[in-house]
Amino acid sequence: MSVRHLAVIGLGLIGGSLARALRAAGEVGRISGYDPDPVQRQQALKLGVIDEVHEQAPEAVADADLVVLAVPVLRTAEAYAACLPGLRPETVVSDVGSTKQSVLRDIAAVCGGQLPPRFVAAHPIAGTEKSGVANSQTELFRNHRVIITPHEHQDAAARQLVARLWQAIGARVVEMSPAQHDAIFAATSHLPHVLAYSFVDMLARLERSGEIFPNAGGGFRDFTRIASSSPQMWHDVLRANEAAVADLLDRQIEELQQIRRMMAESRWDELKALFERARAARERYLSQIE
Amino acid sequence: MSVRHLAVIGLGLIGGSLARALRAAGEVGRISGYDPDPVQRQQALKLGVIDEVHEQAPEAVADADLVVLAVPVLRTAEAYAACLPGLRPETVVSDVGSTKQSVLRDIAAVCGGQLPPRFVAAHPIAGTEKSGVANSQTELFRNHRVIITPHEHQDAAARQLVARLWQAIGARVVEMSPAQHDAIFAATSHLPHVLAYSFVDMLARLERSGEIFPNAGGGFRDFTRIASSSPQMWHDVLRANEAAVADLLDRQIEELQQIRRMMAESRWDELKALFERARAARERYLSQIE
């Protein structure tokens, strides 16, 4: 057992799945939890995801060896600040947020401008379009990546503890800088969510949307799956990683305008060449992850 | 048995899967085939998808009761014209193209301006991102829709034969007008392919594309799956349904520009409301297809 007492702040899909996985791996003793939503709190307790629930964050983290903040990214620093009265100096605190520069900046701000040595910023690359502790799964992180973005003056033992726990539940830990993280995930995750939401919304606003959706096939279902994700979470991610997403969105709009011009000017061979480039790039991607 | 002799022109994923399914259902006697590509021809024969292969289309269709043109949409009329010398007056001809107005217009053009009464335009809403007869599957169409777009002066018995065969292999037949078909599938299928190809191509052109792809997760994989589809096929579909796709692409670009302005002007509540509308629309779609 690596952690005598784990506190999970934010009892949703990710916080719940992490608690389940660490318990199943025998890595934690007692698990306490807090969520601002009484429904999630009671469900987490009832499902046995946590051992005890608290109505205040400082009570949940009192005596904890490790605190995981599993809240929407924009609320991470606020959650950290709320826990502060209950934290011991030796408590390790980590997060699971989808952006990293903003989390580190915000936490430094609530800690007098300097990052606490025992704060470890982490991002598990896993999830489903479903939210809430009721959808949490023990195996959610197995064979998935977890990005840890170290910071200056970080306590090496704290970082190693967090890395070891993720590895113990089957995840693969990769380290990179916060800026590199945010640029990469703007491309692979944040922009695709914008495109999927935007596409479904555009269709829903069409006059004939009523006849469109019943005729959609399997390709449509996969392409739009991420548009069923939590609007609150993705609103937060976009705000937190605004610059990187805006840059890519500009490029995406520019590329779509180019395609539109190819169509208008009947430059069909160029369009086909673009499709071929894209297919080849995706085949390279598949060969890298398999 | 409904069809003594079936001829399949175009031995790819769809033509091959249809031949397999009709044989498995006991609906056809003998199956002959033709494809311009000798590799597909030999594979189809070797896999037992067809009983005999021909090096010329008229030979393949001679004596056939039903001919299915399973070629890229822009080649449908050309394939029809190539078969003409071998067709008997009573032979029913059908297709599987993803657009319908262009196919009907092009076939009328090679038939002296009038659609042949025994031509039945059909579109099975099934497929995978994989191409070629080697990927053909007996069960590809089960529980999928097939759209039939009737035309004036169509032979009712010909249409009924085609509908009955699709039903015999587990598909659900729906009739609608060619224009309605093309508008609906521009939205559910053609535009998503443009967006997926365009997104992957945009990423592949980034300087840091080498570090992006290895960090992509499951959401990315689903979102980009259709970008592995056949560039030739989708080039054809876009040309064949240009007006409907161009209209939707304009709307999509406009919506992305709106999102970009919301970000630039920090109108985050509007962005969240858009995400919420999209999620609600997708939930309605899921409830309709389940």
Side-chain angles (χ1 to χ4, degrees):
Chain A
M1 186 185 305
S2 310
V3 176
R4 190 183 43 90
H5 177 192
L6 165 72
V8 178
I9 306 300
L11 299 164
L13 175 75
I14 300 295
S17 298
L18 181 58
R20 284 180 190 272
L22 287 172
R23 191 197 298 283
E27 291 290 337
V28 293
R30 167 183 155 211
I31 308 180
S32 58
Y34 165 78
D35 193 287
D37 178 353
V39 174
Q40 299 293 315
R41 281 205 300 264
Q42 288 314 314
Q43 269 194 313
L45 194 62
K46 207 172 143 188
L47 293 168
V49 171
I50 55 174
D51 300 308
E52 56 190 75
V53 75
H54 296 271
E55 299 198 0
Q56 304 292 337
E59 292 165 16
V61 304
D63 177 59
D65 303 303
L66 172 67
V67 175
V68 176
L69 308 172
V71 300
V73 273
L74 288 185
R75 306 217 175 121
T76 309
E78 181 190 315
Y80 188 94
C83 293
L84 269 176
L87 290 179
R88 294 177 299 148
E90 62 270 31
T91 309
V92 174
V93 182
S94 190
D95 80 321
V96 296
S98 300
T99 70
K100 296 274 70 96
Q101 291 176 106
S102 72
V103 164
L104 290 165
R105 186 178 58 229
D106 295 351
I107 289 195
V110 299
C111 294
Q114 189 151 0
L115 279 165
R118 287 164 192 272
F119 178 73
V120 181
H123 174 206
I125 314 306
T128 79
E129 71 277 23
K130 294 175 181 143
S131 324
V133 73
N135 290 304
S136 62
Q137 306 162 24
T138 306
E139 297 294 310
L140 188 64
F141 308 108
R142 186 165 303 280
N143 299 322
H144 285 257
R145 287 187 170 214
V146 172
I147 313 296
I148 289 184
T149 58
H151 59 86
E152 247 191 324
H153 314 302
Q154 189 168 51
D155 182 299
R159 184 163 80 240
Q160 281 154 17
L161 172 70
V162 172
R164 203 168 57 236
L165 288 172
W166 283 111
Q167 285 160 350
I169 60 173
R172 195 150 49 92
V173 173
V174 176
E175 289 191 4
M176 60 178 73
S177 76
Q180 191 185 13
H181 170 280
D182 289 356
I184 288 173
F185 290 93
T188 59
S189 173
H190 310 171
L191 182 65
H193 278 82
V194 172
L195 297 177
Y197 280 125
S198 153
F199 169 64
V200 175
D201 183 55
M202 185 275 289
L203 292 191
R205 288 162 60 198
L206 294 176
E207 260 180 52
R208 57 188 340 140
S209 67
E211 34 177 349
I212 287 172
F213 288 111
N215 284 293
F220 179 87
R221 191 180 175 136
D222 278 358
F223 183 72
T224 61
R225 183 170 71 78
I226 52 179
S228 286
S229 305
S230 157
Q232 177 67 53
M233 172 180 165
W234 288 97
H235 156 274
D236 274 28
V237 168
L238 252 62
R239 285 182 76 162
N241 200 18
E242 184 187 344
V245 178
D247 172 59
L248 289 174
L249 181 52
D250 285 339
R251 290 170 192 263
Q252 184 67 67
I253 291 170
E254 170 56 29
E255 172 130 353
L256 290 173
Q257 286 169 331
Q258 277 177 26
I259 289 177
R260 184 67 185 83
R261 283 193 295 271
M262 288 179 197
M263 291 177 72
E265 295 162 12
S266 297
R267 292 187 278 125
W268 299 110
D269 286 348
E270 282 179 59
L271 190 61
K272 194 171 127 190
L274 189 155
F275 290 176
E276 279 163 355
R277 278 204 312 268
R279 178 157 83 159
R282 188 169 187 277
E283 298 307 309
R284 283 198 303 277
Y285 147 68
L286 289 177
S287 71
Q288 282 168 347
I289 61 165
E290 273 160 3
Chain B
M1 186 186 305
S2 310
V3 176
R4 190 182 45 90
H5 177 191
L6 166 72
V8 178
I9 305 301
L11 299 165
L13 175 74
I14 300 294
S17 297
L18 181 59
R20 284 179 189 272
L22 287 172
R23 191 197 298 285
E27 292 290 338
V28 294
R30 166 183 155 211
I31 308 181
S32 57
Y34 166 77
D35 194 286
D37 178 352
V39 174
Q40 298 294 314
R41 281 206 300 264
Q42 288 314 315
Q43 268 194 314
L45 193 64
K46 205 172 144 190
L47 292 167
V49 170
I50 55 175
D51 302 307
E52 54 191 76
V53 75
H54 297 269
E55 299 197 3
Q56 303 292 338
E59 292 165 15
V61 304
D63 176 59
D65 303 302
L66 173 66
V67 174
V68 176
L69 309 171
V71 300
V73 274
L74 288 185
R75 307 218 175 121
T76 310
E78 181 188 314
Y80 189 93
C83 293
L84 269 176
L87 291 179
R88 294 176 300 146
E90 62 270 33
T91 309
V92 174
V93 182
S94 190
D95 81 320
V96 296
S98 299
T99 70
K100 296 274 71 96
Q101 292 176 106
S102 71
V103 164
L104 289 165
R105 186 179 58 231
D106 295 351
I107 288 196
V110 299
C111 294
Q114 190 152 358
L115 280 164
R118 287 164 190 273
F119 179 73
V120 181
H123 174 206
I125 314 306
T128 79
E129 72 277 22
K130 295 176 180 140
S131 324
V133 72
N135 290 303
S136 62
Q137 306 163 23
T138 306
E139 297 293 310
L140 188 65
F141 308 109
R142 187 164 303 280
N143 300 322
H144 285 256
R145 288 187 170 214
V146 172
I147 313 295
I148 289 184
T149 58
H151 60 85
E152 249 191 323
H153 313 303
Q154 188 169 51
D155 182 300
R159 185 162 80 239
Q160 281 154 18
L161 172 70
V162 172
R164 205 169 54 235
L165 288 172
W166 282 111
Q167 285 159 351
I169 60 174
R172 194 150 50 90
V173 173
V174 176
E175 288 191 2
M176 61 177 73
S177 75
Q180 191 185 14
H181 170 280
D182 288 356
I184 287 173
F185 290 93
T188 59
S189 173
H190 311 170
L191 182 65
H193 278 81
V194 172
L195 297 177
Y197 280 125
S198 153
F199 169 65
V200 175
D201 183 55
M202 184 275 290
L203 293 192
R205 289 162 58 199
L206 294 176
E207 258 181 54
R208 57 187 339 140
S209 66
E211 33 176 348
I212 286 172
F213 288 111
N215 283 293
F220 178 87
R221 188 178 177 140
D222 278 358
F223 183 73
T224 60
R225 183 171 69 80
I226 51 179
S228 286
S229 306
S230 157
Q232 177 67 52
M233 171 179 166
W234 288 97
H235 156 274
D236 274 28
V237 168
L238 251 61
R239 285 181 76 160
N241 199 18
E242 184 187 345
V245 177
D247 172 59
L248 288 173
L249 181 51
D250 285 340
R251 289 169 193 263
Q252 184 68 67
I253 292 170
E254 170 57 28
E255 173 130 352
L256 290 173
Q257 286 170 330
Q258 275 176 27
I259 289 176
R260 185 66 185 83
R261 283 192 296 270
M262 287 178 198
M263 291 178 71
E265 295 162 11
S266 296
R267 291 185 281 126
W268 299 108
D269 286 348
E270 283 179 58
L271 190 62
K272 195 172 125 189
L274 189 154
F275 290 177
E276 280 163 355
R277 279 204 310 268
R279 178 157 84 159
R282 188 169 187 277
E283 297 308 307
R284 284 197 302 278
Y285 147 69
L286 289 177
S287 70
Q288 282 168 347
I289 60 165
E290 272 160 4

